Amino acid sequence: MIFSTVAAAFALLPLAFSHPLEKRQNALPPVNSATDESVLQLALYLEHLELSLYTGGFENFTDAEYTAAGFPPGFRENVGVIAQHEATHASTIATILSDAGYTPVPPCSYKFPYNDPKSFVGLANMITSVGIGAYLGGGSLLTDDPNLLTAASSILT
């Protein structure tokens, strides 16, 4: 059990450090088709979901609760950093859609089935894996503009 908890913790750590090391250009790519719009709306939905999940994981548990659950010191702070990244991802995708004349899908109200840091991390690993898979699958559909694919792919790096 401890091994799976530690493995889950280490699986989340790269996500906390996945922000870019150099500043990216501010020019956002255009959305050129209904397929692009559909893929980006799904990506935005997933970003809203992940933002809510990680915000809850940050706000609902203390450093002491994470430490008592076997996570390393500073783990809660890393969850907060991930939440900030998700907010940036959602904002960027919403701006791309808005600039193209589409109405971005709004966030929903979510109720996640976790009640302690361990169950939060387990759920976060599962949802993050699904999100990565969706980006990888959806990316192949963004064929109208290579810049749009690059922008979407940058979220995974």
Side-chain angles (χ1 to χ4, degrees):
M1 182 64 152
I2 287 291
F3 175 76
S4 63
T5 301
V6 171
F10 282 110
L12 280 176
L13 287 177
L15 295 174
F17 298 106
S18 64
H19 57 85
L21 296 177
E22 58 189 54
K23 187 171 177 133
R24 293 188 178 125
Q25 293 179 342
N26 288 331
L28 297 174
V31 177
N32 294 320
S33 72
T35 300
D36 289 350
E37 190 245 343
S38 294
V39 169
L40 290 173
Q41 293 285 15
L42 175 60
L44 180 57
Y45 174 81
L46 290 169
E47 294 299 341
H48 288 316
L49 178 77
E50 290 177 336
L51 172 58
S52 180
L53 174 69
Y54 284 103
T55 299
F58 180 76
E59 293 177 350
N60 294 332
F61 305 113
T62 64
D63 289 323
E65 289 173 303
Y66 276 108
T67 302
F71 296 100
F75 190 85
R76 179 179 176 268
E77 182 179 334
N78 288 338
V79 172
V81 169
I82 294 169
Q84 291 170 355
H85 290 181
E86 299 304 338
T88 300
H89 299 163
S91 174
T92 299
I93 294 169
T95 299
I96 291 170
L97 287 163
S98 293
D99 287 354
Y102 297 104
T103 301
V105 63
C108 297
S109 295
Y110 304 98
K111 182 167 174 48
F112 295 106
Y114 63 79
N115 54 13
D116 58 38
K118 287 182 182 179
S119 60
F120 160 72
V121 169
L123 182 62
N125 279 329
M126 181 175 58
I127 288 177
T128 299
S129 295
V130 169
I132 290 169
Y135 268 97
L136 293 173
S140 66
L141 300 173
L142 297 173
T143 58
D144 294 329
D145 186 340
N147 293 323
L148 189 57
L149 178 58
T150 300
S153 299
S154 72
I155 290 174
L156 292 174
T157 60

